[in-house]
Amino acid sequence: MEDDREVTHNNLGSDDELRLVHKEFKVKNKEMKAVHRELNKKFDGLTKQVNEGKVDEDFTDFRVYQLYAMAKKTAMSKNELENFKEELKSFQQRITKHETLKEMVMQSKEYFDKEVDDGKYPKKHTDLVNKANHYEHVVKKHHNELYHRVDSMIFKHTEL
């Protein structure tokens, strides 16, 4: 019987202890996110170094460069290739906008983390998060569409 009481007893501690643990968690979480962002920046830098000299001046994002390199392997006419290149420039602008939105979300979150204890962020922040998530979906969808379009052209070209 005594063992049952120990199991049902709440051993979480006092409210002060819980607040302290919660603050420590938030600090560690922020540190981890900062390390993650730094690793992503370093990875992007390494990717650019590896591809230095390969990347077209028009394209700074490696995904866009890959699509352009794939398109050059197809049987597209010069005019079609130029049109596709313009479409890729537009796609790169979407990627840039998405990256800007992600950075704005991070800045907003860091700002509001100081003021928000209950995890409820203001509508302005949640709207920004929703917009960034929407753009992430748009970028992924557009990348997949472009990739499959070029990939099918390569497949047709190799079939001949």
Side-chain angles (χ1 to χ4, degrees), residues 70-133:
M70 287 172 63
K72 288 196 291 188
K73 294 177 183 177
T74 65
M76 284 186 184
S77 68
K78 267 193 162 194
N79 191 30
E80 288 173 324
L81 191 59
E82 279 301 313
N83 289 339
F84 190 72
K85 188 174 183 177
E86 290 302 315
E87 192 172 348
L88 289 175
K89 286 179 185 179
S90 173
F91 176 58
Q92 183 163 302
Q93 288 174 343
R94 285 184 179 188
I95 291 172
T96 303
K97 184 168 183 174
H98 176 245
E99 290 171 353
T100 302
L101 285 171
K102 284 194 312 187
E103 187 62 34
M104 288 171 66
V105 166
M106 291 305 300
Q107 290 172 356
S108 174
K109 185 170 178 8
E110 287 173 7
Y111 174 78
F112 286 120
D113 273 348
K114 296 172 189 168
E115 297 178 5
V116 173
D117 287 329
D118 59 358
K120 293 183 181 177
Y121 291 94
K123 183 175 177 4
K124 191 174 187 179
H125 175 76
T126 54
D127 288 346
L128 188 61
V129 169
N130 290 338
K131 188 173 184 178
N133 290 340

Side-chain angles (χ1 to χ4, degrees), residues 3-160:
D3 290 339
D4 290 337
R5 277 188 247 146
E6 286 181 28
V7 170
T8 59
H9 179 68
N10 186 354
N11 289 325
L12 293 176
S14 69
D15 288 341
D16 292 336
E17 289 174 346
L18 287 175
R19 283 188 196 102
L20 181 62
V21 169
H22 182 69
K23 282 186 179 182
E24 288 176 10
F25 172 77
K26 285 178 102 174
V27 167
K28 293 290 184 185
N29 194 24
K30 278 185 180 180
E31 290 172 1
M32 182 185 68
K33 286 182 179 181
V35 167
H36 185 258
R37 277 194 305 271
E38 189 62 32
L39 284 173
N40 278 339
K41 285 180 184 176
K42 288 180 180 180
F43 179 75
D44 290 343
L46 286 173
T47 303
K48 287 178 183 175
Q49 284 179 357
V50 166
N51 297 305
E52 212 167 80
K54 296 179 186 176
V55 180
D56 193 292
E57 297 84 32
D58 295 328
F59 306 123
T60 55
D61 189 272
F62 187 66
R63 294 171 287 184
V64 180
Y65 170 75
Q66 283 181 320
L67 289 170
Y68 185 62
M70 287 172 63
K72 288 196 291 188
K73 294 177 183 177
T74 65
M76 284 186 184
S77 68
K78 267 193 162 194
N79 191 30
E80 288 173 324
L81 191 59
E82 279 301 313
N83 289 339
F84 190 72
K85 188 174 183 177
E86 290 302 315
E87 192 172 348
L88 289 175
K89 286 179 185 179
S90 173
F91 176 58
Q92 183 163 302
Q93 288 174 343
R94 285 184 179 188
I95 291 172
T96 303
K97 184 168 183 174
H98 176 245
E99 290 171 353
T100 302
L101 285 171
K102 284 194 312 187
E103 187 62 34
M104 288 171 66
V105 166
M106 291 305 300
Q107 290 172 356
S108 174
K109 185 170 178 8
E110 287 173 7
Y111 174 78
F112 286 120
D113 273 348
K114 296 172 189 168
E115 297 178 5
V116 173
D117 287 329
D118 59 358
K120 293 183 181 177
Y121 291 94
K123 183 175 177 4
K124 191 174 187 179
H125 175 76
T126 54
D127 288 346
L128 188 61
V129 169
N130 290 338
K131 188 173 184 178
N133 290 340
H134 171 74
Y135 249 83
E136 179 179 16
H137 173 73
V138 167
V139 166
K140 283 181 180 180
K141 184 178 177 184
H142 197 178
H143 180 265
N144 284 338
E145 289 170 358
L146 292 170
Y147 178 82
H148 289 298
R149 194 166 85 193
V150 172
D151 192 46
S152 67
M153 285 184 216
I154 290 174
F155 183 71
K156 286 178 186 174
H157 181 68
T158 56
E159 269 186 349
L160 300 175

